[in-house]
Amino acid sequence: MYAAKFNKDPEVLRLLIKECALTNNGRIKAQGIETVTLSENATKTNINQTGSTVEYYGTFTAGTAPCLGLSYNNIEFTGSAQGEIDSTLEVSGTTLILTSGTLNLSSSENNFTGNITIGDSTTPTYAGTITINGVSGTTPNPLKIAANAYATALTFNSPVQLNGNVTTTGNQQYDSTVQTATSASNISAGTSGNITFADTLSLGNDLSVTAAAINFKNDLLDGSDGVTPTHNLTITGATTLTPTADTLKVNTKSVTFDGTLAGATNSVNLTLAGTTATFENTVNSLHAFSAAGNVTFNGSVGETTSLNSIDVTGTTIINAEKINTTSTQTYTNAVIIKSDTTITASELTFNSTVDADTDNSHTVTFNAQTKLNGSVGATHKLNNITFANTTTTISAISINS
């Protein structure tokens, strides 16, 4: 029987140890699949002591636990570490993932207490295709992703706290809630990767989300639902809304959709609770669109697939060729027309003023039963107004065009 105790920090130690007791108070580097048979009274639960690090660089196979046990202070995956570890890992310190391989830490009971660093932000160096699961339950501790994360692709199967930016060249998949910290301002999959948020995205800072395609399946919130929003959200990429309960809420101070926006089906309701929403491209395939604040449409709405209804409480700026709904449109506050436009609905209600952005500009066609309850063109005259539907109710003080 032999005993091995490492109190210092050797740079490299490859293990092929049999019948011994082992205590790690420094650093051990191993492939992870070596044969380590401990003495009769020794266990692998207490190998790795406070301040110790284990660095793995080999290939793992599901069903086979790493050679130095399942309990770690600090753990690192480097080189071309790859494969799947489906045994439950307990990491009380930090986790570093620098491997260029495809690595899956798949146990739903993994417990990562400290920060998880993915890639190296100084170069930057991208980690490979990484999947991380964690403790399940009603109030699990989130995976704490250190600033800043770089990888080929990322999948998180449990709640995540992003403490910095996240950058991938490929896809990102968030299967549970995502909370961004004050130091996180950008989640990017570039121009070729896709990003999916399967649960709530909560902002702790102004945030930009960029990808070729983005899928939101739950609410986008500033902190938590019901609070007064203070942060801004910018979404760049073709965006699809796929809420499981048919309604998706955005409660951020402002939200900007730089790419196209569409519901996965015509049953999706979009509720905007913040002060400002800007749509730089087309909006299609929604049921009810409602906004408590100001809205700017810089792309056609319902051109490919009409919305069911639109209800805007704040000021509306229309810089779009078409605004189409199969049912009603209601604009509670001022409407400013910035381009020639046709507005089509079953019933169209303006409860405040309708103006051009400059005098004698733009032609507007109202293709609906139209109710004008405020002045039209009082501040800036429209060039021309056409009522394509014969039923028009005018309570306006004046109509100037």
Side-chain angles (χ1 to χ4, degrees):
M1 184 182 299
Y2 298 90
K5 184 174 183 180
F6 302 98
N7 290 312
K8 294 187 178 180
D9 192 7
E11 278 190 31
V12 176
L13 174 65
R14 292 181 173 84
L15 296 179
L16 182 55
I17 301 173
K18 296 182 179 180
E19 296 300 323
C20 68
L22 176 63
T23 300
N24 176 19
N25 288 321
R27 171 182 288 269
I28 296 177
K29 183 173 181 177
Q31 292 186 59
I33 55 174
E34 293 87 345
T35 300
V36 178
T37 305
L38 301 181
S39 63
E40 181 179 345
N41 296 321
T43 68
K44 293 185 180 181
T45 59
N46 57 0
I47 291 176
N48 302 301
Q49 303 297 303
T50 300
S52 69
T53 299
V54 172
E55 177 184 351
Y56 288 127
Y57 64 93
T59 299
F60 298 92
T61 303
T64 302
C67 66
L68 291 171
L70 301 175
S71 181
Y72 299 87
N73 184 219
N74 304 308
I75 191 170
E76 298 177 358
F77 298 93
T78 63
S80 58
Q82 60 188 303
E84 180 180 2
I85 300 176
D86 58 358
S87 304
T88 298
L89 300 176
E90 291 277 345
V91 183
S92 59
T94 61
T95 300
L96 174 63
I97 300 176
L98 282 176
T99 174
S100 60
T102 298
L103 180 67
N104 183 4
L105 309 179
S106 62
S107 172
S108 63
E109 298 301 322
N110 285 334
N111 192 358
F112 300 95
T113 302
N115 282 343
I116 301 172
T117 299
I118 302 173
D120 184 350
S121 61
T122 58
T123 315
T125 300
Y126 286 72
T129 298
I130 309 300
T131 300
I132 306 177
N133 207 343
V135 174
S136 59
T138 54
T139 56
N141 292 322
L143 301 172
K144 302 177 185 69
I145 308 304
N148 292 304
Y150 290 87
T152 300
L154 288 172
T155 299
F156 298 109
N157 300 127
S158 54
V160 173
Q161 176 181 305
L162 301 180
N163 293 310
N165 299 336
V166 178
T167 304
T168 59
T169 56
N171 297 343
Q172 296 179 36
Q173 173 84 27
Y174 299 89
D175 287 334
S176 191
T177 58
V178 177
Q179 171 70 58
T180 64
T182 56
S183 53
S185 61
N186 187 47
I187 301 173
S188 175
T191 57
S192 58
N194 302 329
I195 301 178
T196 298
F197 295 93
D199 210 327
T200 303
L201 170 63
S202 299
L203 276 61
N205 191 14
D206 291 350
L207 181 68
S208 295
V209 179
T210 303
I214 304 162
N215 188 359
F216 293 105
K217 298 185 177 183
N218 212 317
D219 295 341
L220 314 177
L221 305 175
D222 191 347
S224 58
D225 196 13
V227 303
T228 301
T230 58
H231 297 121
N232 306 306
L233 176 63
T234 301
I235 301 164
T236 303
T239 301
T240 303
L241 307 181
T242 320
T244 54
D246 286 337
T247 297
L248 189 144
K249 183 176 182 179
V250 180
N251 185 32
T252 57
K253 182 179 180 181
S254 73
V255 61
T256 300
F257 292 90
D258 279 334
T260 60
L261 174 66
T265 68
N266 279 68
S267 63
V268 174
N269 302 311
L270 176 61
T271 300
L272 304 169
T275 57
T276 305
T278 302
F279 300 87
E280 298 289 0
N281 211 308
T282 58
V283 179
N284 285 290
S285 302
L286 296 174
H287 185 70
F289 175 103
S290 62
N294 303 326
V295 174
T296 298
F297 294 117
N298 287 323
S300 290
V301 177
E303 181 175 18
T304 303
T305 305
S306 295
L307 282 62
N308 182 69
S309 63
I310 295 174
D311 189 341
V312 180
T313 300
T315 297
T316 303
I317 297 175
I318 297 175
N319 186 25
E321 183 181 354
K322 297 178 181 179
I323 307 290
N324 295 338
T325 60
T326 57
S327 186
T328 61
Q329 294 183 39
T330 301
Y331 300 92
T332 302
N333 272 294
V335 173
I336 299 171
I337 307 296
K338 296 187 70 174
S339 67
D340 294 350
T341 188
T342 298
I343 303 176
T344 301
S346 63
E347 185 176 287
L348 179 59
T349 302
F350 297 96
N351 286 321
S352 187
T353 57
V354 179
D355 285 285
D357 57 334
T358 58
D359 274 336
N360 300 314
S361 61
H362 313 313
T363 294
V364 179
T365 299
F366 297 128
N367 186 17
Q369 296 183 30
T370 304
K371 297 179 179 180
L372 298 172
N373 297 322
S375 297
V376 178
T379 303
H380 293 293
K381 296 178 182 179
L382 292 157
N383 182 55
N384 187 58
I385 302 174
T386 299
F387 296 96
N389 190 294
T390 57
T391 304
T392 301
T393 302
I394 299 175
S395 302
I397 296 174
S398 62
I399 298 179
N400 298 313
S401 65

